[in-house]
Amino acid sequence: MRYAVLGTAGHIDHGKSSLVKAMTGVDPDRLKEEKQRGITIDLGFAELKYAEATVGIVDVPGHEKLIKNMLAGAQGIDMVLFVIAADESIMPQSREHLAICNLLGIKTGIVAITKCDLVDPEFLSLVIEDVRQFVSGTFLESADIIPVSAKDGTNIDNLKKMIGDLAMKTMPKSNGGIFRLPVDRVFTLKGFGTVVTGTAISGVIRVDDQIEVHPPGIKTKVRGLHSHNEPITIGVAGQRIAVNLQGVDRDDLSRGNLLTEQGRGIRTKRLDVKISLLKNAVALDGKAIVHFHIGTSELTARLIVYGGGKIQPGESACCQIRLKEPITAMVNDRFIIRRFSPVETIGGGVVLDILPPIRGKDITSLEIYEKGTLEQKISEKVRRTALTGFLRRQLHSWINEDVKNIDAVIEKLKQNFIIIEVSDILYHTETIKALESKVAALLKDFHKSNPLKAGISKDELCGKFKAIDSKTFFKILPTFTHLVLDKDIVRLKSFNPTLTADDENVRSVIVKMLKAAGFQPPLKEEIAAKLTLKVTAVSDILKLMVSDGTISRINDSIYLLKEDYDKMLTALKDFAKNKTEISVSEFRDLLQTSRKYALPFLEHLDGKKITMRIGETRKIIGGG
């Protein structure tokens, strides 16, 4: 089944609602005030069913003071039924509605000349000619124009057939993106609770799904789904859907909210956009305040023109929209702007970026977001996030595109070494290479200043880079090809600690001291004092001796010659042949040492899981 949404458009009292009722049998004017006054005030809804398609109809008000309601209904429609009354022809809101449909990127539609029963054939022909000229150069230029009468039924069946045929030709909305439904109505039903309605503009929703309402961030569950008063278990993009929400107060919701899957959607107060002004609009100042309509929401925004200056009528420019309240939007979403005062439609455009960085005058990335391929857009967005990176899941919410297409592009970019992925965070290789170069340069300086140190600690290294958090830094570090990580120590792969002639002499003296002492070795601090050296200098030499296998580290102060360490393990292994537990005094006597050394030796062996302390004794559990 194909789903599409048809929106009406046209001047007040040109017969939009009557035409919908004639086609569907449903009066879209549902409010008491609408029936009393005979005009459409808010959105109305109906549907047409065909063998292979279901067309949801959104009937919008035509009065100039109700344009904001019209805009709430126009967002998300696939095709327009543009209505012009034969007895009045083209009127002011005919022009404004057509401009809005153009700006929203609607691609197709039908023009219905209503009330044809009120004029003679000759006058009707003149109206049709006027209409052809009126829609020339717009998306309706090649649209069918059909005279109809809701009163006597002229061409109503033909119009319904035309709508069905057009629905089959219209590109359907995608079910492959994340689920999004801009809310256009909120109400309560006895026994059910809070219900919201809207047109699903992407994705799929099911009963029991976990849902989030933006911008308040309310998390809830889908109790039930309806489409045009029929219960459904699954709703798809292009359908008019009523969603019964669990445990949500009606007063916490309003038109302008957006439903998504939980954890999806990016809230922002800033959007980078491409704006086009209508030819009959006034020039727009570089910091103008405007009414901003996106989805079903209306917000006040300040518009900042990149490069300064004004946008002239009929021209386009890249701008930043700064909002007082957060919204949830995606790249490629369409919007309308209206003058702050007097309120009138002056233009619209497309979202190029959400959560944009500070750009200054460089709008190169915006040109890529506007005209580039999906691959180019994703690559550029990841590059622009620098060391912050961009979660794969965030990209799904960044651009209005099928998730599988986004993931396929990510994998291609990874295969081509344009981006890398570390724990679901995407980084551009330019960013990683730049970071690796900075780390390598820092390590080079460190090695030069500390030729005896095996390297720098990860924590100390991370502290040199404030632009990235430690958790992320430690995840990226292993991807650097020119570095070596030895536990918590980082060094350049090309670096080998070197000893000067004086250092070699110190090394020889230390070996002699340890050899002479056996299992009662001098402490590190005692070695330093004996050699009249700084403890740090002795530490560096000891670490090198550990790394080349000359000595073994017991703790930070005690070191044994490797041959003595091996003797200790052999002695313990021989002891274990007769007895599997050993006391401190037995171990002391075994090595002919003192308790001062026996305890740290045993604690070291505990740490190596060669022995295990049980009360005052050790159980021998390993052979070393």
Side-chain angles (χ1 to χ4, degrees):
M1 179 65 70
R2 185 183 290 259
Y3 295 97
V5 176
L6 173 79
T8 64
H11 194 76
I12 184 173
D13 203 31
H14 275 205
K16 297 185 293 297
S17 300
S18 297
L19 184 56
V20 170
K21 184 177 180 180
M23 290 191 296
T24 67
V26 175
D27 185 357
D29 288 342
R30 54 192 169 79
L31 302 178
K32 182 178 179 181
E33 186 181 357
E34 289 176 318
K35 297 184 184 299
Q36 289 175 343
R37 296 175 59 184
I39 64 169
T40 299
I41 296 172
D42 204 355
L43 305 178
F45 309 97
E47 72 169 341
L48 286 171
K49 287 188 175 182
Y50 301 88
E52 298 180 353
T54 296
V55 177
I57 299 176
V58 180
D59 183 42
V60 305
H63 196 284
E64 62 177 329
K65 292 183 179 180
L66 299 171
I67 288 292
K68 68 175 184 178
N69 291 348
M70 179 268 178
L71 286 167
Q75 301 270 8
I77 67 174
D78 302 296
M79 50 190 182
V80 66
L81 178 61
F82 204 90
V83 175
I84 297 175
D87 60 336
E88 289 192 348
S89 191
I90 300 153
M91 296 293 283
Q93 264 53 65
S94 304
R95 300 183 186 281
E96 187 169 14
H97 282 209
L98 182 61
I100 288 170
C101 292
N102 258 324
L103 292 167
L104 289 176
I106 298 170
K107 302 297 184 185
T108 190
I110 299 168
V111 180
I113 309 296
T114 56
K115 305 183 182 182
C116 67
D117 56 297
L118 299 181
V119 298
D120 58 45
E122 185 177 351
F123 189 83
L124 182 60
S125 297
L126 293 174
V127 171
I128 291 173
E129 185 57 36
D130 285 345
V131 169
R132 289 196 188 281
Q133 292 181 15
F134 171 58
V135 299
S136 178
T138 74
F139 73 99
L140 289 175
E141 184 172 31
S142 302
D144 289 324
I145 300 175
I146 179 171
V148 296
S149 171
K151 186 177 180 180
D152 64 17
T154 300
N155 278 333
I156 294 298
D157 288 339
N158 290 335
L159 176 59
K160 288 167 66 174
K161 183 179 183 305
M162 291 167 66
I163 291 171
D165 292 343
L166 191 60
M168 296 303 297
K169 297 175 185 176
T170 300
M171 178 70 69
K173 292 182 173 68
S174 173
N175 294 335
I178 66 169
F179 176 75
R180 293 197 298 160
L181 183 143
V183 174
D184 52 37
R185 286 181 67 202
V186 182
F187 55 92
T188 56
L189 283 177
K190 189 174 181 180
F192 291 92
T194 301
V195 177
V196 299
T197 71
T199 300
I201 56 177
S202 65
V204 174
I205 187 173
R206 296 174 176 83
V207 173
D208 293 331
D209 276 356
Q210 302 296 314
I211 292 294
E212 189 165 352
V213 185
H214 301 271
I218 297 170
K219 294 181 179 179
T220 181
K221 180 181 177 181
V222 177
R223 288 184 60 184
L225 297 170
H226 280 70
S227 183
H228 295 288
N229 299 318
E230 295 291 332
I232 55 176
T233 56
I234 181 171
V236 300
Q239 271 186 298
R240 289 288 310 170
I241 305 173
V243 186
N244 185 197
L245 301 177
Q246 184 179 75
V248 180
D249 194 305
R250 186 254 175 272
D251 293 335
D252 292 334
L253 307 178
S254 64
R255 175 179 289 176
N257 290 153
L258 178 76
L259 262 58
T260 72
E261 306 159 37
Q262 276 190 24
R264 300 290 197 170
I266 300 173
R267 286 191 284 276
T268 179
K269 288 185 178 181
R270 290 183 294 128
L271 302 167
D272 277 348
V273 301
K274 182 68 173 285
I275 284 179
S276 298
L277 283 193
L278 297 175
K279 291 181 180 179
N280 62 343
V282 296
L284 204 56
D285 291 336
K287 293 185 178 181
I289 296 177
V290 297
H291 293 283
F292 182 74
H293 297 261
I294 189 166
T296 55
S297 64
E298 177 196 8
L299 305 99
T300 300
R302 185 175 293 278
L303 183 151
I304 308 296
V305 179
Y306 281 116
K310 296 183 176 182
I311 310 177
Q312 298 298 326
E315 293 185 354
S316 300
C318 288
C319 307
Q320 186 168 103
I321 294 291
R322 296 179 183 174
L323 302 159
K324 288 186 175 181
E325 302 295 333
I327 61 165
T328 300
M330 296 177 83
V331 173
N332 294 336
D333 284 353
R334 309 288 303 196
F335 62 87
I336 296 294
I337 57 171
R338 306 191 78 213
R339 199 172 170 188
F340 191 73
S341 182
V343 180
E344 59 185 6
T345 303
I346 53 176
V350 62
V351 175
L352 301 180
D353 193 13
I354 57 177
L355 293 177
I358 297 172
R359 299 186 189 278
K361 295 182 179 180
D362 180 15
I363 60 170
T364 305
S365 60
L366 295 185
E367 293 169 356
I368 294 173
Y369 298 151
E370 180 188 4
K371 301 175 182 177
T373 62
L374 181 60
E375 185 176 333
Q376 291 169 331
K377 291 177 182 180
I378 289 176
S379 173
E380 180 65 11
K381 183 59 182 177
V382 173
R383 187 179 74 84
R384 284 284 179 170
T385 58
L387 289 173
T388 304
F390 214 51
L391 285 166
R392 178 188 287 256
R393 189 175 178 86
Q394 280 182 298
L395 268 180
H396 297 161
S397 299
W398 178 69
I399 187 168
N400 187 11
E401 181 61 66
D402 283 7
V403 170
K404 68 176 183 180
N405 293 342
I406 294 172
D407 285 341
V409 165
I410 290 172
E411 294 308 314
K412 182 178 179 182
L413 290 170
K414 286 167 62 177
Q415 290 170 10
N416 293 333
F417 304 104
I418 294 172
I419 63 174
I420 68 168
E421 189 169 14
V422 181
S423 300
D424 293 327
I425 303 176
L426 302 168
Y427 300 94
H428 202 281
T429 49
E430 283 183 15
T431 300
I432 299 303
K433 286 178 181 177
L435 178 62
E436 184 174 7
S437 295
K438 290 178 181 178
V439 170
L442 190 148
L443 284 173
K444 185 177 180 182
D445 290 341
F446 180 86
H447 292 323
K448 186 176 180 180
S449 301
N450 304 273
L452 299 182
K453 288 187 181 293
I456 189 173
S457 73
K458 289 198 299 183
D459 288 333
E460 185 180 350
L461 181 62
C462 180
K464 307 287 185 182
F465 297 92
K466 305 298 183 184
I468 185 169
D469 67 273
S470 59
K471 188 176 180 182
T472 303
F473 184 77
F474 294 152
K475 288 178 179 178
I476 293 176
L477 211 53
T479 68
F480 294 164
T481 56
H482 296 93
L483 307 185
V484 173
L485 273 71
D486 184 7
K487 297 181 180 176
D488 289 332
I489 300 299
V490 186
R491 65 174 173 84
L492 288 174
K493 190 178 285 186
S494 59
F495 172 73
N496 286 308
T498 55
L499 296 174
T500 64
D502 289 341
D503 295 331
E504 286 288 359
N505 290 333
V506 171
R507 183 181 189 278
S508 297
V509 172
I510 291 173
V511 170
K512 289 178 182 178
M513 292 173 70
L514 293 177
K515 190 167 187 176
F519 291 111
Q520 299 185 60
L523 302 181
K524 176 176 68 175
E525 294 77 10
E526 293 170 344
I527 295 173
K530 181 77 173 175
L531 298 175
T532 63
L533 294 172
K534 290 183 178 180
V535 174
T536 53
V538 173
S539 290
D540 291 342
I541 294 174
L542 289 171
K543 287 176 182 177
L544 282 177
M545 294 172 71
V546 171
S547 66
D548 67 17
T550 303
I551 62 176
S552 295
R553 180 183 183 277
I554 301 302
N555 59 31
D556 194 46
S557 292
I558 300 175
Y559 294 82
L560 284 176
L561 280 179
K562 183 66 166 61
E563 58 194 68
D564 287 333
Y565 186 83
D566 290 341
K567 286 179 183 178
M568 177 177 68
L569 296 181
T570 300
L572 189 64
K573 186 176 181 181
D574 290 342
F575 183 90
K577 291 178 181 177
N578 301 312
K579 189 178 180 182
T580 58
E581 290 187 359
I582 189 167
S583 67
V584 175
S585 59
E586 286 174 323
F587 186 73
R588 177 197 65 199
D589 296 342
L590 183 68
L591 299 182
Q592 295 184 346
T593 185
S594 66
R595 187 177 179 86
K596 170 184 173 182
Y597 291 100
L599 279 173
F601 288 164
L602 285 170
E603 288 169 356
H604 169 80
L605 294 172
D606 291 343
K608 292 289 186 180
K609 292 187 169 38
I610 296 172
T611 59
M612 181 174 67
R613 182 173 179 175
I614 302 174
E616 295 301 317
T617 64
R618 256 73 174 186
K619 184 175 182 180
I620 303 169
I621 57 175

